[in-house]
Amino acid sequence: MTTSDDALLPLDAVRPAASAKGAVVPAPELPVAKVAVDNPLPHLDRPFDYLVPASMHESAQPGVRVRVRFAGKLVDGFLLERADESEHAGRLTPLERVVSPERVLTPEVAGLARVVADRYAGTLADVLRLAVPPRHARTETATRAAAPSAEPPKAPSGPAERSTPPDLPSVPADRVRQPPTATAALPTETPTSEPPRPEAATPETPTPEAPAFPAPAFESATPEDPQGATSGAAQQGGPPLSNASRQVGGPGLGASLQDGGSPGGTVAARVGEGVPQGDGAGGVGGVQDGGLGEGAVRGPGGAWGAYPMGASFLDALRHGRAPRAVWSALPGARGWAGPVAEAVRATLDGGRGALVVVPDGKDVALLDAELGRMLGAGRHVALTADLGPAERYRRWLAVLRGQVRAVVGTRAAMFAPVERLGLVAIWDDGDDLHAERLAPYPHAREVLGLRAHRTGAAMLIGAYARTAEATQLLASRWARPIVADRQTIRSLAPHVRPAGEDAELAKDQAARAARLPSVAWRALRQGLESGPVLVQVPRRGYLPALACRHCRAPARCSHPPTRTGFPASAGPAAHAGAAAYAGAPGGFVSQGQGVLGGPDGSGTAGSPAPDAGAGTAGVGEAMRLAVPGDAAYGGEARAGAAYEGEGRAGAAYGGEGRAGAGDGLCRGPLALRGGHAAPYCRWCGRVDAAWKCEHCGSPRLRAVVVGARRTAEELGRAFPSVPVRTSGRDGVLASVPGSRALVVATPGAEPVAEGGYAAVVLLDGWALLGRADLRAGEEAVRRWMNAAALVRPRGELVVLADAGLPAVQALLRWDAVTHAERELAERVELGFPPAVRMATLTGTAAAVRQMVAEARLPADAQVLGPVPIDDSGQERAMIRVPRGSGAALAAALKGASGVRAARKTPDVVRVSVDPLDLI
């Protein structure tokens, strides 16, 4: 046909079809991309299928960031995998663009994020926000140009695929233990349901659909023992661990496995073996069958030489095995950073990577310095929140690209993409800083445990004390203990003296009421003769809680709220509730003006006083700064006039005010920022200088709780020639010199002293033990031992608490093991975590009740509540299930949240699985 013949044909015959114009050409291979869209809605928590254009065939690789059109909007996402075809029969929406060719989401982290989301009833998008930091384009481009080329990681076949590091043997599905000469087998992952099916992304809004969710891989110790530590004797309320499992010189790994000591064994087999009950930690000599090897010998040197199984633990790491241990660190100012650094070096010597998570930046600095000394420069990175976005992203990219295989950081580092991960370690797992504050609120210990199980890595849980969760892992035989023998512990533990002993009370009857009794003063004086002395104060600030000096009623703010435009429907009820909460009979009357008195007890206009009432009082009594028998401090124990400080009206603060019945008031607690400041409200922040007690009308104030800054101020007056250093909220000290000094610190902020502290004084033990918290005793032991471990061997330690309390007894004997076992046994009997799985639902009363009624809870679930938690109408319900039903509970709550999200219900219900603050 010639050119002239073309003119005779219809126009449509020579023009390309209209449908072909502008059509997207799919990629020649694997044209379907499964994308995890950044979408917080729980009913849309599944991968969506998109078309990969031919132009993005090379750059659209698994793990890259992409931009896609979702429900008519451009959103971010991660490309999980490429596939040949989609289950969706319609037309697929193409990818908009690849943000960066950097494959930031590794297969291992993608699978871990999916499991963590399912365990905590959250969404994959929420977990990925925690796992992958925001992109810093300039840093990424600059580091890519300077980085050596590396082979990209293999694409996963699915987002929840189990990943095993190269050159490491995987665990067969039909095996739960290995021969006696190998380490204990890792529990195999047995999902109880099919993974969520990928859905197609179309130009229209996706339709809601509740997918099925796989069971968490770390749910139980083994498939044969889904109840974990609640099986056997623990289910009957017996001790979770017998002394037979901690016997010195006990059978090694081979003998234990031959006797049925597999990781899936129960505690019942060991209870009642006739082993004498010791003092708890006594006789903890070895790890019988936890993968630490057989026939362990004591290392002659090194930080692990004092532990009977220390050398075997390091040997297992060097040879690529996967021991899992709960380590009780030794006291005596030996430090914990050295042993952790040695474990990291042993893992690196074995050709694998290591990840260590610590509570805060102070601990990161200590371990960072130790790793730098032991490994040399450039072999590890530290990831903390105080790094800038560029520097943090640069270090994270170095880990992603395999340039560095040792990472230390806070809880945000628990998802660090370490290449060939061989060790995950967590220090001080009982610290609440390990619990994430963002949804789905995962805990670093649980995430690292899941990660160790999925990758076949070793795990080390270290602390001076021991949590009930770590004890549960020991009871379920998922991990094994590493503890020094009792003789070594006794030679290094401090000499603990509780206040209130009969001998001390016979010498000084006033010691019952004094905040600093004579035994504490002697410890301070004698300790300062040879070095620094640590004083731990539970509360930060100056005077964080005040009360009326006459009737002891709590001092509360008498100002109206900062915003007075309340809705008409909520005003009267809210005001009445606030008045009832403060104990006022419907209204509040405040008249006159008051300021805190000066040292002589008289308050003058324009001259605020240095403190409030008996400013240094604790538990209803003034702080005793007078040293008994010392004429320089008044001879007898009493609170001087400088600490009595009467408050009365002062014209400089002007006017009198009256609020009638039904008026809304702030009612926040009053506190003091300093000795020359007027009381202020901790809720609204305003000064309430004209405060008067609403019950008795007295303007005088007294301290209920004394903070660290006030304590430092008073100790500075008592020891004028000694420098006083403070470490707390205003500034945390990582270390202090070994010279003579008083160091006042809040729990968790204690600096390390060069050579150790000469003495330690633990003030206000009642403030820790008297908290309305399930973990009050466990937390008190943890905080006390963390401070006591900084004292020199056999140094003096004074704790102001009753010697008969279990927590004080654990400190006296340095026996956190028995205390943790007793704690776990009591929780098993009462049905509290970690013996059970528990979730809380928090929101408005109607929303919580509706969600509880609609959720398809497991048959063995127990619903407690809901009960009010504050005066704003918020309520909380608790749901308790056995550990074996934890996956079903999480799936049910996630499904109920998805239904509410699909309905676009305005009231939000916060779902938290295994939270720390249950009571």
Side-chain angles (χ1 to χ4, degrees):
M1 184 179 294
T2 62
T3 305
S4 60
D5 295 333
D6 293 343
L8 302 177
L9 295 176
L11 186 60
D12 294 340
V14 296
R15 179 181 297 173
S19 58
K21 184 178 181 180
V24 177
V25 179
E29 297 178 358
L30 303 177
V32 178
K34 299 183 182 300
V35 178
V37 181
D38 188 6
N39 178 43
L41 298 178
H43 65 288
L44 300 177
D45 182 28
R46 55 187 180 273
F48 288 89
D49 292 350
Y50 285 85
L51 182 66
V52 180
S55 59
M56 303 181 189
H57 175 60
E58 298 296 334
S59 60
Q61 298 299 321
V64 300
R65 307 177 197 257
V66 294
R67 292 277 288 176
V68 296
R69 190 165 295 277
F70 187 80
K73 298 180 180 179
L74 282 177
V75 297
D76 296 323
F78 293 95
L79 200 158
L80 298 178
E81 61 174 322
R82 296 270 296 270
D84 289 322
E85 57 184 12
S86 173
E87 297 180 1
H88 180 64
R91 182 170 60 91
L92 295 181
T93 302
L95 298 175
E96 288 292 330
R97 67 186 179 95
V98 176
V99 177
S100 168
E102 191 77 42
R103 300 169 68 172
V104 294
L105 183 60
T106 63
E108 187 258 327
V109 174
L112 175 66
R114 178 72 270 170
V115 175
V116 171
D118 293 340
R119 188 188 192 282
Y120 286 95
T123 63
L124 180 62
D126 287 337
V127 180
L128 290 180
R129 291 193 195 101
L130 304 176
V132 182
R135 179 174 182 255
H136 196 276
R138 180 178 301 177
T139 302
E140 183 178 294
T141 304
T143 54
R144 187 187 302 117
S149 59
E151 183 180 355
K154 181 182 177 181
S157 59
E161 180 186 47
R162 174 168 173 152
S163 173
T164 303
D167 302 329
L168 290 179
S170 60
V171 181
D174 57 348
R175 293 177 59 192
V176 295
R177 60 183 180 182
Q178 296 178 351
T181 57
T183 57
L186 294 174
T188 55
E189 182 179 0
T190 55
T192 58
S193 60
E194 294 296 327
R197 186 180 66 180
E199 298 293 336
T202 62
E204 294 79 21
T205 303
T207 57
E209 180 178 344
F213 304 101
F218 197 58
E219 182 59 40
S220 60
T222 63
E224 290 82 5
D225 183 22
Q227 300 299 327
T230 61
S231 60
Q235 193 71 271
Q236 303 174 3
L241 282 178
S242 66
N243 280 353
S245 63
R246 306 193 308 261
Q247 185 179 6
V248 175
L253 171 64
S256 180
L257 287 179
Q258 291 172 4
D259 295 337
S262 66
T266 61
V267 186
R270 291 190 176 271
V271 176
E273 293 181 355
V275 180
Q277 297 294 325
D279 57 354
V284 185
V287 180
Q288 278 74 30
D289 54 346
L292 301 185
E294 186 178 6
V297 295
R298 299 178 181 229
W304 292 93
Y307 304 91
M309 300 306 296
S312 181
F313 178 74
L314 295 182
D315 182 73
L317 294 177
R318 290 192 186 97
H319 289 81
R321 298 197 294 270
R324 296 173 298 205
V326 176
W327 166 47
S328 297
L330 282 171
R334 297 169 61 92
W336 56 270
V340 174
E342 284 195 12
V344 171
R345 183 174 62 179
T347 306
L348 296 181
D349 292 343
R352 299 183 297 172
L355 170 61
V356 183
V357 176
V358 297
D360 52 30
K362 174 178 66 72
D363 296 326
V364 171
L366 293 175
L367 185 55
D368 183 30
E370 188 67 23
L371 288 173
R373 182 188 65 82
M374 189 170 296
L375 302 179
R379 297 195 63 190
H380 79 284
V381 294
L383 301 177
T384 57
D386 57 353
L387 297 173
E391 178 61 21
R392 178 177 176 83
Y393 194 60
R394 184 187 67 82
R395 297 186 183 186
W396 187 85
L397 285 177
V399 179
L400 175 68
R401 295 166 180 170
Q403 301 169 1
V404 178
R405 290 198 293 178
V407 179
V408 56
T410 53
R411 65 174 182 266
M414 59 186 170
F415 294 101
V418 180
E419 187 181 54
R420 295 191 62 192
L421 187 62
L423 171 67
V424 292
I426 181 172
W427 171 253
D428 199 9
D429 63 304
D431 198 314
D432 58 358
L433 293 177
H434 286 301
E436 180 58 56
R437 269 59 173 176
L438 301 177
Y441 319 108
H443 195 282
R445 178 187 55 243
E446 307 303 322
V447 174
L448 294 180
L450 286 167
R451 197 166 184 183
H453 169 70
R454 292 174 56 83
T455 61
M459 185 171 185
L460 178 64
I461 302 175
Y464 292 113
R466 183 176 289 180
T467 61
E469 286 77 10
T471 306
Q472 188 265 339
L473 294 178
L474 296 173
S476 64
R477 308 188 70 171
W478 191 87
R480 297 295 174 263
I482 297 182
V483 185
D485 56 71
R486 288 303 299 174
Q487 183 177 0
T488 303
I489 294 176
R490 292 190 184 100
S491 64
L492 297 175
H495 177 61
V496 182
R497 302 186 62 180
E501 292 181 334
D502 295 338
E504 293 294 334
L505 293 178
K507 299 178 183 178
D508 183 10
Q509 293 293 332
R512 294 182 183 272
R515 185 170 182 245
L516 277 178
S518 56
V519 61
W521 281 108
R522 288 198 301 269
L524 291 175
R525 280 185 166 181
Q526 296 173 3
L528 288 174
E529 295 176 359
S530 57
V533 175
L534 174 65
V535 180
Q536 186 193 74
V537 184
R539 297 293 297 270
R540 63 175 183 263
Y542 194 77
L543 295 179
L546 302 174
C548 175
R549 188 176 177 185
H550 179 72
C551 67
R552 303 300 195 261
R556 297 195 172 274
C557 178
S558 59
H559 288 295
T562 54
R563 295 185 61 181
T564 58
F566 297 104
S569 59
H575 304 332
Y581 179 79
F588 178 84
V589 178
S590 174
Q591 56 184 355
Q593 307 81 24
V595 298
L596 300 177
D600 59 352
S602 61
T604 58
S607 177
D611 53 37
T616 54
V619 201
E621 295 294 334
M623 176 179 178
R624 242 184 85 205
L625 290 179
V627 179
D630 194 339
Y633 294 93
E636 60 179 347
R638 67 174 184 272
Y643 315 119
E644 294 289 330
E646 301 180 0
R648 48 172 126 171
Y653 294 89
E656 59 179 57
R658 177 183 299 270
D663 291 338
L665 300 175
C666 174
R667 302 293 187 184
L670 297 184
L672 276 181
R673 291 193 178 96
H676 296 275
Y680 77 100
C681 177
R682 293 172 56 189
W683 288 1
C684 67
R686 289 175 295 179
V687 174
D688 194 1
W691 179 87
K692 277 191 175 183
C693 180
E694 59 182 342
H695 298 284
C696 65
S698 173
R700 299 184 179 183
L701 290 168
R702 67 186 302 274
V704 177
V705 178
V706 181
R709 286 196 293 113
R710 175 68 184 221
T711 303
E713 178 183 299
E714 301 300 342
L715 289 177
R717 295 175 182 175
F719 298 94
S721 61
V722 179
V724 180
R725 304 175 185 270
T726 59
S727 179
R729 181 181 182 181
D730 298 334
V732 178
L733 302 176
S735 60
V736 293
S739 57
R740 186 168 177 257
L742 279 169
V743 180
V744 181
T746 53
E750 301 92 345
V752 177
E754 182 180 354
Y757 289 100
V760 173
V761 177
L762 308 176
L763 295 181
D764 301 339
W766 59 270
L768 293 177
L769 296 173
R771 296 185 304 127
D773 190 356
L774 174 67
R775 308 172 187 271
E778 177 183 285
E779 182 68 7
V781 172
R782 186 189 70 83
R783 293 184 176 186
W784 288 343
M785 284 193 167
N786 285 351
L790 302 177
V791 73
R792 299 168 185 171
R794 303 305 298 166
E796 190 79 9
L797 185 143
V798 177
V799 54
L800 274 67
D802 186 2
L805 298 175
V808 181
Q809 285 294 313
L811 181 65
L812 280 168
R813 302 193 307 268
W814 200 265
D815 183 14
V817 175
T818 298
H819 185 270
E821 292 177 357
R822 177 186 298 176
E823 186 80 13
L824 179 60
E826 292 176 352
R827 296 189 193 180
V828 170
E829 182 179 358
L830 299 176
F832 285 117
V836 298
R837 296 288 304 280
M838 188 169 286
T840 60
L841 308 179
T842 307
T844 61
V848 171
R849 297 174 189 274
Q850 181 184 17
M851 186 169 178
V852 171
E854 294 180 350
R856 298 180 179 179
L857 301 175
D860 50 4
Q862 299 177 355
V863 180
L864 309 177
V867 295
I869 59 174
D870 52 29
D871 294 331
S872 62
Q874 296 283 308
E875 291 191 358
R876 183 176 67 171
M878 294 189 293
I879 304 174
R880 178 171 57 192
V881 297
R883 290 193 62 85
S885 301
L889 173 63
L893 294 179
K894 186 173 181 179
S897 299
V899 171
R900 293 180 58 83
R903 292 176 180 170
K904 299 182 179 180
T905 308
D907 296 329
V908 177
V909 177
R910 170 178 168 173
V911 179
S912 182
V913 178
D914 292 337
L916 294 180
D917 52 344
L918 281 176
I919 299 177

